[in-house]
């Protein structure tokens, strides 16, 4: 049966941190604040996958008060989420991510992000969509206080069915 999942995440900018997006370190004067590497796009994607699996969220799988995940590479965490997917007999068919950032400019890094995420998920690059936008100066993103990201995932849960929602 086919399922969709949606994920959202946001991280504020902070001095002395790296700006990691989609597994790529993007040069910028500020980084993103978080317990792990604060890769907002990968976090949104993991939540979308877990949502499609009906398996909670990344806070349950990787608690932010657990020292084991301090400074963790989010692509490694994404690989672990994919282990959960496979252990349930499911597979991710496609995903699409949107990053909202007034700065830094992300277009030069888009393809590298797609490649890194695809590699961590064990997918072809063609199954990973990546877009970036600004908020035209509006809100916390527009004021350059942080970055937000959304992700959607199409997953085959491995259960028999014709792919239509069963209403369960």
């Amino acid at each position: 049966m086919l399922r969709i999942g949606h994920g959202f995440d946001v991280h504020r900018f902070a001095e002395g941190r790296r700006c990691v997006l989609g597994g790529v370190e993007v040069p910028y004067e500020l980084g993103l604040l978080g317990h792990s590497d604060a890769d907002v796009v990968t976090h949104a994607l993991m939540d979308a996958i877990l949502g499609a699996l009906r398996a909670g969220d990344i806070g349950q799988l990787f608690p932010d008060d657990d020292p084991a995940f301090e400074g963790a590479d989010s692509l490694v965490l994404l690989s672990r989420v994919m282990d959960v997917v496979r252990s349930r007999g499911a597979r991710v068919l496609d995903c699409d991510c949107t990053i909202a950032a007034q700065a830094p400019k992300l277009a030069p890094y888009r393809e590298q992000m797609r490649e890194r995420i695809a590699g961590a998920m064990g997918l072809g690059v063609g199954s990973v969509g990546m877009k970036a936008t600004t908020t035209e100066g509006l809100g916390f993103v527009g004021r350059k206080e942080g970055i937000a990201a959304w992700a959607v995932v199409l997953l085959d849960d491995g259960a028999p069915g014709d792919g239509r929602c069963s209403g369960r």
Side-chain angles (χ1 to χ4, degrees), residues 33-57:
L33 184 61
H35 186 64
S36 66
D37 62 7
D39 183 341
V40 66
V41 66
T42 303
H43 292 184
L45 180 56
M46 288 188 285
D47 268 344
I49 295 165
L50 292 168
L53 278 176
R54 310 305 188 251
D57 59 44

Side-chain angles (χ1 to χ4, degrees), residues 35 59 62-69:
H35 186 64
F62 311 115
D64 65 5
D65 59 356
D66 186 335
F69 304 116

Side-chain angles (χ1 to χ4, degrees), residues 22-149:
V24 176
E25 188 167 344
V26 177
Y28 190 57
E29 62 202 45
L30 299 170
L32 295 170
L33 184 61
H35 186 64
S36 66
D37 62 7
D39 183 341
V40 66
V41 66
T42 303
H43 292 184
L45 180 56
M46 288 188 285
D47 268 344
I49 295 165
L50 292 168
L53 278 176
R54 310 305 188 251
D57 59 44
I58 61 171
Q60 292 171 298
L61 202 56
F62 311 115
D64 65 5
D65 59 356
D66 186 335
F69 304 116
E70 187 171 350
D73 180 331
S74 292
L75 289 183
V76 171
L77 301 180
L78 176 58
S79 293
R80 289 179 59 184
V81 168
M82 292 304 294
D83 289 341
V84 173
V85 170
R86 288 185 285 277
S87 75
R88 292 183 177 213
R91 64 189 177 108
V92 172
L93 303 175
D94 198 68
C95 63
D96 190 37
C97 306
T98 302
I99 307 167
Q102 202 66 36
K105 295 291 183 194
L106 300 178
Y109 307 98
R110 186 176 82 84
E111 290 306 312
Q112 192 177 5
M113 288 181 213
R114 291 179 65 217
E115 291 168 5
R116 295 255 173 102
I117 286 174
M121 295 178 73
L123 297 176
V125 175
S127 296
V128 179
M130 184 70 60
K131 302 169 302 303
T133 188
T134 69
T135 59
E136 302 295 329
L138 299 174
F140 78 90
V141 170
R143 292 187 301 269
K144 300 180 185 175
E145 295 172 6
I147 295 178

